[in-house]
Amino acid sequence: MSTDSRFTHLIWQEEELSKMVDGGVPFPMLSDAGGAIGSVYGVYDEESGVDIRGRFLIAPDGVIQAMEVMTPPVGRNFSELVRQVQAFQLVRETKGAEATPAGWTPGKPTLKPGPDLVGKVWKVWQPEKE
Amino acid sequence: MSKKADGCVQPAGGPISSATADASPETPFPERKPIMMARVGHQAPDFEASAYVNGGFENIKLSDYKGQWVTLCFYPGDFTFV
């Protein structure tokens, strides 16, 4: 989503994106003319009149699980986005019985928060040994 | 996919919230000042936006995607470099 019109999105897809990604980007390109939606998400910059780089991860029930907002010159990291989706999906599948420590990726140990784990995380998770 | 005709102006609803009251005879111009509402652990503010999708134009609501994981990305503009 950007403040560009859907017409600009069409030309960008046809003239540039389709030459970088086979068949063009496969998701809807949304228009936020005027920045009203970006304002609600806290990413619209009035001085420059554009939505800055913001990424929101929204669960199937509509609840925002993660957000990342960056100044324009640095791009996103797609693999970190996928990692976060995998972690949030695991938490959801276990109904919150499991949590994922820093840097968790699928297959690595998870934590099971509860009275038994208090002060004992070091026994089950050693970041230096990962 | 068949391409739908499209005019110059295709209004989309923008942010949808209980704070944006509908117009009525008493309030013909309701307050629609957007307030920053996005917070982790809370419902994503719903919106309707015009979109370019699958070679055509349509209006899309965030709430149409309930039941799926959604990534909503904002960026400064088409043809910018990063």
Side-chain angles (χ1 to χ4, degrees):
Chain A
M1 168 152 356
S2 73
T3 53
D4 298 283
S5 73
R6 60 201 183 285
F7 305 118
T8 314
H9 287 332
L10 184 159
I11 298 300
W12 192 31
Q13 173 86 303
E14 289 190 347
E15 293 300 315
E16 189 165 54
L17 297 179
S18 59
K19 292 161 189 163
M20 301 161 87
V21 179
D22 235 1
V25 297
F27 41 77
M29 300 170 74
L30 305 168
S31 172
D32 181 27
I37 300 168
S39 296
V40 168
Y41 279 80
V43 296
Y44 180 67
D45 182 65
E46 277 118 3
E47 282 182 28
S48 51
V50 300
D51 289 327
I52 55 173
R53 210 174 296 288
R55 181 267 281 163
F56 298 81
L57 181 55
I58 302 166
D61 57 7
V63 173
I64 299 176
Q65 300 297 331
M67 54 172 81
E68 175 187 71
V69 182
M70 301 153 89
T71 53
V74 172
R76 299 175 234 269
N77 183 338
F78 181 69
S79 54
E80 170 59 9
L81 166 66
V82 172
R83 189 196 74 83
Q84 289 184 13
V85 173
Q86 290 167 328
F88 283 113
Q89 286 178 336
L90 177 133
V91 169
R92 198 156 275 247
E93 278 161 21
T94 63
K95 300 196 188 306
E98 294 182 34
T100 64
W104 178 88
T105 51
K108 285 194 179 173
T110 58
L111 303 176
K112 295 174 182 65
D116 296 344
L117 191 63
V118 177
K120 305 285 191 302
V121 172
W122 63 275
K123 285 188 176 177
V124 293
W125 184 60
Q126 294 276 347
E128 298 272 312
K129 290 182 185 157
E130 292 231 327
Chain B
M1 181 180 167
S2 64
K3 292 191 179 178
K4 266 198 293 185
D6 187 58
C8 291
V9 177
Q10 186 176 359
I16 301 166
S17 80
S18 51
T20 56
D22 287 334
S24 69
E26 291 77 30
T27 52
F29 305 109
E31 187 69 38
R32 285 186 190 275
K33 194 171 181 219
I35 319 152
M36 155 56 160
M37 297 189 305
R39 294 168 66 194
V40 291
H42 293 258
Q43 280 287 320
D46 197 14
F47 58 81
E48 183 192 42
S50 70
Y52 172 63
V53 51
N54 291 332
F57 298 127
E58 56 184 280
N59 284 359
I60 284 183
K61 273 187 184 173
L62 178 65
S63 48
D64 294 341
Y65 290 81
K66 275 261 168 87
Q68 302 177 50
W69 286 88
V70 172
T71 305
L72 174 64
C73 283
F74 293 87
Y75 60 96
D78 295 349
F79 298 102
T80 54
F81 307 99
V82 175

